[in-house]
């Protein structure tokens, strides 16, 4: 089951307003957002979050069974650019002159459509080099792990969601990085090991929950999934680190912490 929230959105509405609505849907917990004809649709797996979003945005909502929403979602999947990368679903053509990251998110998060994913991707080329040891905390579709592996890293990826396991396996094969990514199903805070770089694209609530109890060690941590401003200070406290570099898009921020 999941829940679709439809916000009416006239085609002549300014792009900045549409971006704001898209961000609001993500912030309120959408797992996917798509633009249909005159409608912006947020998909939620949490009914209470969907109801709140519908109320805040004066939108309608309805419930669908899982496959229906996901199949509809597929037909709207698009190509997304971030730094040297292009994130594309397997059924769209290779994009020339870019590092193609082929991602079928399946039931997991991380199609590249969310600004936070793209912000973290944009920071990777300056940090990851061949041989880097990377850990991807909350890997979802595996998009960040695969991008890092394509830059030559060896990656450990972890997620609590069994849907991520299936998505990561398929996506690693599609990108021919099976031997460079190790997936582990479980809680990110319990994963042990020494790494050069940690990646953590999660909401501030999750960062605050896992940050203080992370068992893994890494020199540099890249965080996404946070809003500019107050959440930047909170994420530094959660991980007990300082901001070394920062990238923003709309109201979202990704930070390199050391
Ligand atoms: N890395 C992807 C997905 C981010 S969404 C991207 O950047 O697009 C956040 C992911 O974190 C989800 O897949 C969710 O299942 C996972 N997650 C949430 N809490 C977690 C935890 N405690 N341990 C591991 N994974 C977790």
């Amino acid at each position: 089951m999941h829940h679709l929230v439809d916000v009416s959105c006239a085609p002549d509405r300014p792009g900045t307003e549409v971006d704001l609505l898209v961000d609001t849907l993500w912030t309120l917990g959408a797992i996917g957002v798509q633009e249909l004809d005159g409608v912006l649709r947020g998909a939620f797996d949490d009914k209470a979050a969907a109801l709140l979003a519908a109320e805040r945005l004066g939108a309608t909502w309805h419930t669908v069974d899982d496959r229906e929403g996901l199949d509809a979602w597929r037909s709207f999947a698009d190509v997304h650019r971030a730094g040297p990368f292009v994130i594309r679903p397997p059924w769209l053509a290779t994009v020339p002159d870019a590092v193609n990251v082929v991602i079928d998110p399946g039931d997991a998060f991380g199609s590249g459509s969310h600004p936070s994913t793209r912000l973290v991707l944009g920071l990777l080329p300056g940090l990851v080099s061949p041989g880097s040891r990377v850990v991807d905390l909350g890997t979802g579709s595996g998009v960040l792990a695969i991008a890092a592996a394509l830059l030559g890293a060896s990656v450990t990826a972890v997620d609590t969601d069994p849907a991520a396991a299936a998505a990561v396996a398929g996506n690693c094969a599609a990108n021919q990085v099976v031997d460079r990514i190790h997936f582990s199903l479980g809680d990110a805070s319990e994963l042990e090991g020494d790494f050069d770089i940690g990646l953590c694209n999660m909401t501030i609530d999750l960062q605050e929950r896992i940050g203080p109890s992370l068992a893994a060690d890494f020199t540099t941590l890249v965080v996404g999934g946070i809003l500019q401003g107050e959440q930047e200070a909170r994420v530094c406290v959660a991980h007990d680190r300082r901001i070394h570099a920062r990238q923003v898009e709309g109201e979202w921020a990704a930070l390199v912490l050391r």
Side-chain angles (χ1 to χ4, degrees):
M1 265 313 161
H2 60 271
H3 313 277
L4 303 180
V5 172
D6 286 347
V7 190
S8 66
C9 191
D12 59 353
R13 200 160 178 164
T16 46
E17 275 185 31
V18 178
D19 287 349
L20 201 64
L21 279 174
V22 171
D23 279 355
T24 306
L25 284 164
W26 287 122
T27 309
L28 292 171
I31 54 162
V33 180
Q34 64 191 64
E35 280 186 71
L36 308 169
D37 207 16
V39 169
L40 205 58
R41 170 170 287 175
F44 292 75
D45 55 12
D46 182 68
K47 185 177 176 186
L51 284 171
L52 181 69
E55 189 191 315
R56 289 246 182 107
L57 298 171
T60 58
W61 74 280
H62 63 283
T63 297
V64 292
D65 75 39
D66 277 342
R67 281 289 24 124
E68 185 188 330
L70 291 169
D71 290 345
W73 177 248
R74 273 162 186 270
S75 55
F76 290 95
D78 208 348
V79 165
H80 303 282
R81 283 186 180 271
F85 302 107
V86 154
I87 320 302
R88 66 169 176 89
W91 55 91
L92 294 182
T94 303
V95 177
D97 303 323
V99 182
N100 279 236
V101 184
V102 180
I103 295 294
D104 183 344
D107 296 356
F109 182 98
S111 65
S113 65
H114 194 268
S116 65
T117 307
R118 296 197 302 270
L119 282 170
V120 176
L121 285 170
L123 288 165
L124 294 185
L127 298 169
V128 177
S129 49
S132 296
R133 296 165 306 158
V134 172
V135 61
D136 184 12
L137 307 165
T139 195
S141 65
V143 57
L144 303 179
I146 290 167
L150 290 172
L151 295 175
S154 83
V155 187
T156 299
V158 60
D159 207 295
T160 43
D161 182 358
V168 170
N171 290 327
C172 283
N175 292 278
Q176 298 172 346
V177 290
V178 173
D179 54 347
R180 261 179 275 159
I181 297 184
H182 170 75
F183 177 82
S184 165
L185 183 66
D187 195 297
S189 57
E190 288 166 15
L191 185 91
E192 295 183 350
D194 271 330
F195 303 93
D196 302 309
I197 299 157
L199 309 173
C200 189
N201 184 18
M202 291 182 190
T203 59
I204 186 69
D205 296 353
L206 290 170
Q207 304 261 12
E208 286 179 330
R209 195 163 65 73
I210 67 162
S213 57
L214 283 175
D217 260 336
F218 27 77
T219 318
T220 300
L221 175 64
V222 186
V223 294
I226 52 170
L227 298 170
Q228 284 192 54
E230 181 248 351
Q231 292 193 359
E232 295 181 66
R234 283 168 60 189
V235 84
C236 288
V237 173
H239 293 288
D240 194 19
R241 285 168 186 260
R242 296 216 182 108
I243 298 177
H244 178 76
R246 179 170 182 269
Q247 194 100 19
V248 295
E249 181 184 327
E251 49 188 355
W252 296 93
L255 306 174
V256 178
L257 304 181
R258 287 201 174 132

